[in-house]
Each structure stands twice: as structure tokens, then as C-alpha cells.
Amino acid sequence: MRIIVQRVKEAHVTIDGQIHGQIKQGLLLLVGVGPEDQQEDVNYAVRKLVNMRIFSDTEGKMNLSVKDIQGEILSVSQFTLFADTKKGNRPAFTGAAKPDMAEAFYQEFNKELAKEVSVETGVFGADMQVELVNDGPVTIILDTKNR
């Protein structure tokens, strides 16, 4: 799995002009699933994300997790994280998992996250507009294959 993690003051995802998922302070996740991903990738990503100390404590140090601040997560599927840009000018997305597999992993990932913190989502495969107020900005790439 490849996940872009953005610390946000607020974020929401809109589909067909309607807000589908919305959070206040927490994390916006752009989630890509690869064909080699397995349950251990889901488990690893969830564990890292809910415990990652990227929120500031009272001294301004990044010492708190999304759980510590009772924050929320907005999770949005993002197959383009597996884009191959080596040849030509049009990215190839053959490195992403097939839609059936990717959707199942994305749903499982969100289910496991929701056991730890409040989770809102986009809709897998939908044309979504994502708006956020970045906090920091703090943006981190989490790749479960590069641990």
C-alpha cells in the first residue's frame, strides 16, 4: 500500500456536488493498493497511522498521534499513487491493483482504522473533489513495502 498522509485542520470529499465525508482536525489519507498487498500491509499501515506522532504537543514538538488528539481520518482511494512515469508523457497505472482487489483492501483498511479512530471516506472509484486546510503543512508518504 502507498498512502499519502496529510495532517489537516479540516478536510472533506465531495461527489456530484454533495459532501460525502468530512472531518475536522486529523489526517487526510490518499490510499493506493498494489497487486502484491496482503493483510499484513493493512495491519502495518493501520498500526503506523494511528500511532504516528505527527501532531504538536504543548511545547510545539511533534509528539502526539491522531489517537492522542482524538482526531479523525478522511480516507480517499487513490490508484494514481502507483503511476509509472518512466516512459512517455502519459502515466501508466498498471502497477495498481485490479479494482476488485483494491476495493476489498480499501474497505478492509477503513474497517480496521475505524476500530481505532473516527473514519470518514470517499467512494471507491468515484470522481471525487477533495478539499483540505493543511496543518503545518505536514505531508508524509507511507509505503508498506519499504519498511
Side-chain angles (χ1 to χ4, degrees), residues 39-113:
Q39 184 64 41
E40 67 186 39
D41 294 287
V42 170
N43 298 342
Y44 174 79
V46 168
R47 185 174 64 253
K48 288 301 266 187
L49 290 164
V50 300
N51 293 301
M52 191 179 294
R53 298 184 320 173
I54 59 173
F55 291 90
S56 299
D57 63 15
T58 56
E59 295 177 15
K61 293 184 180 180
M62 287 199 285
N63 262 336
L64 303 175
S65 70
V66 69
K67 282 173 61 171
D68 293 333
I69 66 158
Q70 298 177 357
E72 302 171 287
I73 290 179
L74 176 58
S75 174
V76 178
S77 62
Q78 187 78 27
F79 75 94
T80 59
L81 291 175
F82 282 88
D84 181 352
T85 59
K86 291 179 183 153
K87 290 177 119 182
N89 293 318
R90 181 181 302 186
F93 302 107
T94 55
K98 300 288 185 219
D100 289 349
M101 177 198 169
E103 183 172 13
F105 267 78
Y106 174 68
Q107 299 302 343
E108 175 66 15
F109 171 71
N110 292 328
K111 184 178 105 182
E112 293 299 316
L113 270 178

Side-chain angles (χ1 to χ4, degrees), residues 1-2 5-6 8 19 23 25 37-38 42 44 52-53 60 63 67 77 92 98 106-108 113 131 135-136 141:
M1 297 177 78
R2 291 182 185 162
V5 182
Q6 293 181 293
V8 297
I19 293 179
I23 65 167
Q25 185 179 28
D37 289 337
Q38 299 190 15
V42 170
Y44 174 79
M52 191 179 294
R53 298 184 320 173
N63 262 336
K67 282 173 61 171
S77 62
K98 300 288 185 219
Y106 174 68
Q107 299 302 343
E108 175 66 15
L113 270 178
E131 293 185 47
D135 183 11
I141 300 169

